[in-house]
Amino acid sequence: MIHIKIPNQEQHFWSPQLDLSLEEEEGQTVVRGYYGPKPTVWTVFAFMYAAVGILGLFALIYGFVQLTFGTSPWALWALVALSLLAVGLYFSSQAGQKLGAEDTFRIHIFIEHIFESKIHIH
């Protein structure tokens, strides 16, 4: 696995990287790549989504228990807040993608220069 990154002094939280793998197919070497965020960014968002999901599940269960016992189901309002938080996470990840787009293009142009050919993205 080869990782192509933006130089350290130009990186920010949303800076992407290109992961390249070399595979042999029918006697030829095939280069496959994946543009994506740094593993730290993946980890933060995976943790946040998991936390929102688990808290949402607990709020749902507790809210239904409250309904069953005939008390005010305030825990169901937590679902609204957690849903808004999940939507906020989604939009922040989309904004981060936009902030990293220029760096993605820089990496892509660099790789095209290295391979001296136009590379199509699938």
Side-chain angles (χ1 to χ4, degrees):
M1 183 72 66
I2 301 168
H3 304 287
I4 309 293
K5 300 178 183 181
I6 297 296
N8 286 339
Q9 63 272 19
E10 298 174 30
Q11 285 185 13
H12 52 83
F13 182 74
W14 299 105
S15 290
Q17 68 182 32
L18 173 61
D19 298 325
L20 297 175
S21 64
L22 305 172
E23 302 170 8
E24 188 173 336
E25 286 184 7
E26 300 173 9
Q28 294 183 334
T29 302
V30 176
V31 179
R32 297 189 197 281
Y34 177 77
Y35 294 96
K38 294 177 281 193
T40 312
V41 176
W42 279 115
T43 304
V44 167
F45 275 89
F47 176 77
M48 294 295 288
Y49 276 118
V52 167
I54 290 169
L55 287 173
L57 180 63
F58 287 147
L60 185 66
I61 292 169
Y62 194 69
F64 279 125
V65 167
Q66 288 175 321
L67 279 174
T68 303
F69 287 133
T71 61
S72 176
W74 60 264
L76 293 179
W77 286 104
L79 284 175
V80 175
L82 291 168
S83 297
L84 291 174
L85 182 59
V87 168
L89 282 171
Y90 172 77
F91 283 118
S92 68
S93 69
Q94 293 300 308
Q97 243 182 343
K98 300 291 186 266
L99 291 172
E102 183 179 335
D103 290 340
T104 303
F105 291 127
R106 285 178 55 198
I107 293 172
H108 185 76
I109 290 167
F110 172 75
I111 290 299
E112 285 185 336
H113 178 72
I114 295 294
F115 286 110
E116 297 178 349
S117 72
K118 182 81 172 144
I119 299 173
H120 300 283
I121 300 174
H122 305 277

